[in-house]
């Protein structure tokens, strides 16, 4: 078991990168967070972090695929990819703070 992280500018870039990562390896997205200052001085695109899990080899492959894809939209300094192998149970629990749900009812809500 391992947890992978991708952080870069642009929600669309992260979605594209994770699509490539999930097609390259057997991983599951467990959370997506946007990172903005509270004073609204952030410029668009937003910084986004996605967390995913799977077997160690799968997460390594997904990290590589996600990084390659994110670099199409960001410079190397703007793309962060990290992996935690065999995470401590407390670390794994923290990674689930923001959950992603792709259920049909949520997709409909985004279209409104």
């Amino acid at each position: 078991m391992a947890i992978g992280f991708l952080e870069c500018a642009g929600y669309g870039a992260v979605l594209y990168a994770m699509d490539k990562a999930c097609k390259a390896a057997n991983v599951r997205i467990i959370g997506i967070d946007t990172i903005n200052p509270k004073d609204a001085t952030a410029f668009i695109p937003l910084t986004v972090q996605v967390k995913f899990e799977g077997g160690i080899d799968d997460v390594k492959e997904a990290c590589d695929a996600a990084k390659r894809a994110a670099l199409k939209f960001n410079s190397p300094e703007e793309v962060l990819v990290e992996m935690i192998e065999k995470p401590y149970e407390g670390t794994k629990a923290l990674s689930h703070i923001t959950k992603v749900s792709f259920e049909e009812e949520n997709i409909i809500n985004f279209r409104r």
Side-chain angles (χ1 to χ4, degrees):
M1 170 59 79
I3 299 174
F5 301 88
L6 166 68
E7 185 173 299
C8 69
Y11 204 86
V14 166
L15 291 177
Y16 175 78
M18 286 313 301
D19 177 67
K20 295 294 187 184
C22 289
K23 289 175 179 173
N26 185 21
V27 294
R28 183 173 72 96
I29 298 171
I30 56 176
I32 298 176
D33 298 310
T34 57
I35 305 163
N36 300 329
K38 292 184 179 186
D39 64 2
T41 60
F43 63 94
I44 301 299
L46 306 172
T47 300
V48 182
Q49 182 186 75
V50 64
K51 298 167 273 194
F52 48 97
E53 68 180 359
I56 293 172
D57 291 337
D58 284 316
V59 171
K60 282 181 186 176
E61 181 62 36
C63 283
D64 291 342
K67 185 173 185 174
R68 283 191 305 272
L71 287 172
K72 290 185 176 190
F73 304 98
N74 292 274
S75 67
E77 303 82 35
E78 297 171 325
V79 177
L80 172 68
V81 179
E82 293 295 334
M83 180 176 128
I84 300 173
E85 295 181 21
K86 300 178 187 173
Y88 167 72
E89 198 58 37
T91 303
K92 185 177 175 191
L94 287 173
S95 69
H96 291 275
I97 290 174
T98 303
K99 293 216 178 232
V100 176
S101 176
F102 294 107
E103 296 172 17
E104 184 62 27
E105 64 189 45
N106 292 333
I107 295 170
I108 292 169
N109 288 337
F110 283 120
R111 292 180 186 154
R112 291 183 187 164

